Amino acid sequence: MPNYFIAGSDCGVGKTFVTCALLKDLRARGLNAIAYKPVACGERSEARNIREAVEQPTLSLELINPVYLRTQAEPVMAAELERTSIELATLVTGYDKLAAQHDIVLVEGCGGWETPLAPGLTMADVAEAIGMPVIIVINNREGAASLAKLTLQAIKDRGLECKGIVLNHIGEEWSTASVTNARVISELTGLPILAELIHGQDYIDSEEVLG
């Protein structure tokens, strides 16, 4: 099974939620799986959630999340305000360390696909440098189809494979858009809907999503 890059069509779409659900199922199947959050801003809850999902309370947060910036802003500005810089080599090296120790590594992006990390460097550059297939997580709401199409095209422009889409229904209420998005997005992008999570669902079948 290859490693995967978990990309978001935008911020707040539930990338960490989906990643942790996949981790729990993978480990329940006896696989030594881990997730990697290269960059985080504002808080470190994503890394803590990953550590909790793999049930390793002593696992170093720095290993899961090598670049943590306290400022809640785009990483490029957070780094500037904190007088530091984000280097591509650091992020790739962090991935290599985890990949050498685990059967499967899920790399979770920061924000959307092209989130700026440093001048001339975005999250997409990290995905391209690591070179793994991509899964897109999208909030199942109105406008999701357009975001899916745009994100897929950006992934293709990087020469990367997109395996499919996970629709994550964040809100409690359903609309006509959220009920019909799966069909519209699949027809628009030509990608399979790997999973469609309802609000509060914390289980996901890793075999169906990852193969």
Side-chain angles (χ1 to χ4, degrees), residues 82-103:
E82 295 180 28
R83 299 186 178 183
T84 186
S85 61
I86 300 174
E87 303 290 340
L88 178 60
T90 300
L91 305 181
V92 174
T93 297
Y95 164 76
D96 289 339
K97 288 179 182 177
L98 286 177
Q101 300 169 7
H102 297 83
D103 300 328

Side-chain angles (χ1 to χ4, degrees), residues 60-198:
S60 167
L61 290 179
E62 286 68 29
L63 190 63
I64 300 171
N65 169 221
V67 176
Y68 167 56
L69 301 164
R70 290 176 174 79
T71 305
Q72 185 69 55
E74 296 287 358
V76 62
M77 286 308 304
E80 181 177 322
L81 291 170
E82 295 180 28
R83 299 186 178 183
T84 186
S85 61
I86 300 174
E87 303 290 340
L88 178 60
T90 300
L91 305 181
V92 174
T93 297
Y95 164 76
D96 289 339
K97 288 179 182 177
L98 286 177
Q101 300 169 7
H102 297 83
D103 300 328
I104 300 170
V105 181
L106 304 178
V107 180
E108 183 191 333
C110 177
W113 178 248
E114 290 282 1
T115 293
L117 306 179
L121 178 68
T122 74
M123 203 68 228
D125 292 310
V126 179
E128 185 178 1
I130 296 173
M132 56 178 55
V134 181
I135 292 171
I136 307 172
V137 178
I138 301 175
N139 182 7
N140 189 10
R141 60 173 178 80
E142 188 175 354
S146 176
L147 289 171
K149 179 70 171 179
L150 290 170
T151 305
L152 173 60
Q153 187 57 56
I155 291 168
K156 287 182 175 180
D157 289 345
R158 294 282 182 162
L160 297 173
E161 172 196 355
C162 186
K163 180 174 177 59
I165 291 169
V166 173
L167 275 177
N168 184 30
H169 194 81
I170 293 176
E172 294 186 20
E173 297 183 1
W174 287 79
S175 65
T176 302
S178 57
V179 172
T180 58
N181 271 337
R183 176 182 169 184
V184 174
I185 291 172
S186 184
E187 291 178 353
L188 182 65
T189 64
L191 291 175
I193 303 300
L194 303 172
E196 189 171 355
L197 306 185
I198 63 174

Side-chain angles (χ1 to χ4, degrees), residues 10-21 23 34-54 59-61 64-65 67-69 72-73 75 106 108-111:
D10 198 357
C11 293
V13 297
K15 294 187 300 298
T16 302
F17 186 82
V18 171
T19 299
C20 288
L23 277 181
I34 192 65
Y36 179 52
K37 180 77 177 180
V39 179
C41 294
E43 57 182 2
R44 225 173 192 176
S45 58
E46 296 102 332
R48 291 189 175 90
N49 288 339
I50 289 169
R51 185 167 65 180
E52 182 179 342
V54 298
L59 185 64
S60 167
L61 290 179
I64 300 171
N65 169 221
V67 176
Y68 167 56
L69 301 164
Q72 185 69 55
L106 304 178
E108 183 191 333
C110 177

